[in-house]
Amino acid sequence: MALNLVRAGTGLIVWNRSPAASDALRAAGATVAGSVPEVFAEADTVLMMLADDRVADQVLARDSAGFAGMVAGRTLVHMGTTAPVWSQGLAEQVRDAGGRYVEAPVSGSRVPAENAELVVMLAGDDPDLDRVAPLLRPMCRDVVRCGPVPNGLLMKLSVNTFLISLVTGLAEAFHFAQRHHLAPGTLLAALDAGPMASQVSRIKGRKLLDRDFAVQASIRDVLYNNRLVVEAAEAAGISSPLLDTCLELYAETSAAGHAAEDMAAVIRALESRTAR
């Protein structure tokens, strides 16, 4: 994502928890900062893409005396996936300190990120969105405005509900076909030719056909996202039977030692249940 910004001519100062991850950006022309406060000191707009809320709290040092001064006068753009309620709390804290806050979670895994084909779901105050949207264009295919915070993250969880259900259903279709001794290649051909075909079904279907679980979106990350959906549904009193079942399957796949594999590896849980 950052490389696409640099290649588009965006003036970029970057920091990463893993310093070596910034080497390619430095080579491409970005400035590499030595600390998070240095990034905020040099940039009017800070894009934050981190693993989860716990990591974000640590990186931002939200409990420290310096947090307010760091974010004052800056626009913090939260692009990761966290609980909406956590994002709402961070937005209030940033605004109380005199800063601006925008949600911009993305839909798309490794390949769409590399190809600047992400879909960004923006939420915040309209003047802030007007300023931030053009900055994000080099890394995405489309920007969808979702209203005020935390609607961006609620929209991301809605999208993930469909994605997780789709890939899990695809894995179950392959498992069903295999157990009936049908050729998986023929199943993939039938799916690709039919009205349900999509970029996701073609990519994940090929991975299931080849038993290629090299990671694009990992079991670990999907389990985390699945849990966020279920927790948000429970908090709102919403029934989520499909995602409840998916949560069990991804948890089983992770517990079996496959957390670092692609989400298509959820078929392992189905196979394990059938073998019992």
Side-chain angles (χ1 to χ4, degrees):
M1 294 167 67
L3 276 172
N4 284 329
L5 290 178
V6 174
R7 290 165 180 162
T10 306
L12 208 63
I13 178 168
V14 301
W15 179 87
N16 197 293
R17 289 193 296 151
S18 303
S22 298
D23 290 346
L25 290 163
R26 180 186 286 108
T31 299
V32 178
S35 68
V36 172
E38 183 182 344
V39 173
F40 277 88
E42 297 294 330
D44 292 330
T45 302
V46 177
L47 310 181
M48 180 175 70
M49 174 61 88
L50 293 167
D52 54 38
D53 52 9
R54 177 187 59 83
V55 171
D57 284 341
Q58 292 174 351
V59 167
L60 293 174
R62 287 180 65 187
D63 295 330
S64 72
F67 173 82
M70 186 175 71
V71 301
R74 300 291 185 264
T75 300
L76 176 61
V77 183
H78 172 35
M79 302 194 71
T81 303
T82 60
V85 67
W86 177 89
S87 179
Q88 181 72 63
L90 177 59
E92 293 171 359
Q93 189 177 3
V94 169
R95 289 167 182 161
D96 287 345
R100 297 170 294 276
Y101 185 84
V102 171
E103 286 179 344
V106 299
S107 178
S109 57
R110 182 183 302 274
V111 173
E114 291 172 346
N115 295 337
E117 294 177 346
L118 297 169
V119 175
V120 179
M121 289 155 277
L122 278 183
D125 295 335
D126 285 337
D128 298 333
L129 302 188
D130 290 340
R131 287 191 298 270
V132 169
L135 294 175
L136 305 182
R137 284 290 179 187
M139 67 173 71
C140 64
R141 182 176 70 245
D142 203 357
V143 175
V144 179
R145 293 198 181 201
C146 302
V149 172
N151 284 6
L153 278 161
L154 288 170
M155 188 63 71
K156 172 66 186 288
L157 297 186
S158 300
V159 170
N160 280 356
T161 297
F162 179 51
L163 172 65
I164 295 169
S165 303
L166 174 65
V167 175
T168 308
L170 184 65
E172 186 168 340
F174 270 81
H175 180 58
F176 180 88
Q178 289 165 359
R179 292 293 170 151
H180 283 88
H181 309 292
L182 301 175
T186 305
L187 170 60
L188 184 59
L191 290 171
D192 285 351
M196 295 175 294
S198 68
Q199 184 178 13
V200 171
S201 71
R202 291 189 174 101
I203 291 174
K204 299 306 183 185
R206 174 55 62 177
K207 293 181 82 65
L208 287 162
L209 175 64
D210 297 337
R211 301 290 291 191
D212 167 23
F213 300 136
V215 67
Q216 292 173 335
S218 71
I219 291 290
R220 178 186 298 107
D221 290 342
V222 173
L223 177 58
Y224 167 72
N225 280 266
N226 199 150
R227 187 171 287 115
L228 289 178
V229 173
V230 169
E231 289 173 352
E234 290 176 350
I238 299 168
S239 176
S240 58
L242 289 178
L243 270 289
D244 292 345
T245 298
C246 291
L247 184 63
E248 295 176 3
L249 292 168
Y250 285 94
E252 290 171 21
T253 309
S254 178
H258 307 293
E261 295 181 351
D262 187 76
M263 67 184 297
V266 70
I267 195 173
R268 297 188 188 277
L270 299 167
E271 292 167 345
S272 177
R273 288 188 179 193
T274 300
R276 292 173 188 169

